Amino acid sequence: VTLYRDSASWCPYCQKVWTMLEEKRIPYRIEKVNMRCYGEKPASFMRVQPSGNIPVAVIDGQVYGQSNDIMYALEQLFPDHKSLAAPKGQEMKAQELLRLERQIFSAWMYWLTSNGDPQRFQQNFEMVLQDVESALAESGGPFFMGKSVTIVDMMFA
């Protein structure tokens, strides 16, 4: 696995992929790439990812260009490494939690980037954050699915 990530190490999408690689103990190599705000990306990277977006993972010659896609691929392609799948019988709960992760991301982005009423967007973000807090409290463990870390936790990272 080759992970192309930001050279400054502050991209949250790169960070969650890196965290999953570490948790699953999958051997990998890091290639650091500038974020656009720090300069041009090398031509060699642009040949792999023409959009220039990071993170990118190359696994057995296949290019994955979105953090969630990379994470699902890592779970599927490395079954002999620690599983981060939802516990049997809790797959629907995991899907519900992954929808909640998308909700909090959307609420946060609207609050940060909207030209509308910032107070209303902040309140919406805080309401969704309460839902996240409730989901964690209901889990019975330190993680979203209970006592063991799963891909759900990695997605929230």
Side-chain angles (χ1 to χ4, degrees):
V1 175
T2 300
L3 174 64
Y4 292 85
R5 67 161 302 151
D6 60 314
S7 56
S9 297
W10 63 265
C11 169
Y13 306 105
C14 297
Q15 193 68 18
K16 68 184 186 176
V17 171
W18 174 76
T19 301
M20 188 164 178
L21 284 164
E22 285 290 316
E23 184 66 27
K24 288 181 73 65
R25 300 191 192 287
I26 297 170
Y28 63 92
R29 185 171 63 88
I30 295 283
E31 290 287 333
K32 292 188 176 181
V33 178
N34 282 333
M35 293 180 74
R36 285 189 178 91
C37 58
Y38 291 120
E40 295 297 314
K41 297 180 188 280
S44 59
F45 174 73
M46 296 302 290
R47 283 191 293 276
V48 173
Q49 175 73 325
S51 72
N53 293 337
I54 53 175
V56 171
V58 178
I59 306 170
D60 295 327
Q62 177 71 40
V63 177
Y64 299 87
Q66 295 285 329
S67 60
N68 290 358
D69 294 341
I70 297 167
M71 294 167 75
Y72 283 123
L74 292 172
E75 187 62 24
Q76 288 181 340
L77 297 173
F78 293 90
D80 294 339
H81 291 260
K82 179 181 180 181
S83 175
L84 297 178
K88 293 282 186 212
Q90 293 189 23
E91 295 86 359
M92 293 305 292
K93 178 68 173 174
Q95 289 302 313
E96 179 183 317
L97 289 165
L98 291 172
R99 283 190 294 277
L100 181 58
E101 187 275 333
R102 292 289 75 203
Q103 287 175 358
I104 197 162
F105 174 80
S106 295
W108 174 69
M109 283 301 289
Y110 275 112
W111 180 28
L112 290 180
T113 63
S114 178
N115 293 329
D117 180 2
Q119 195 169 40
R120 184 182 68 149
F121 291 120
Q122 179 182 352
Q123 289 171 341
N124 183 55
F125 172 76
E126 290 172 356
M127 286 175 28
V128 177
L129 187 58
Q130 281 297 326
D131 292 341
V132 171
E133 289 289 332
S134 294
L136 274 170
E138 293 168 4
S139 74
F143 302 105
F144 281 100
M145 300 296 296
K147 302 213 183 296
S148 298
V149 67
T150 68
I151 196 167
V152 172
D153 303 287
M154 297 293 150
M155 295 287 185
F156 269 91

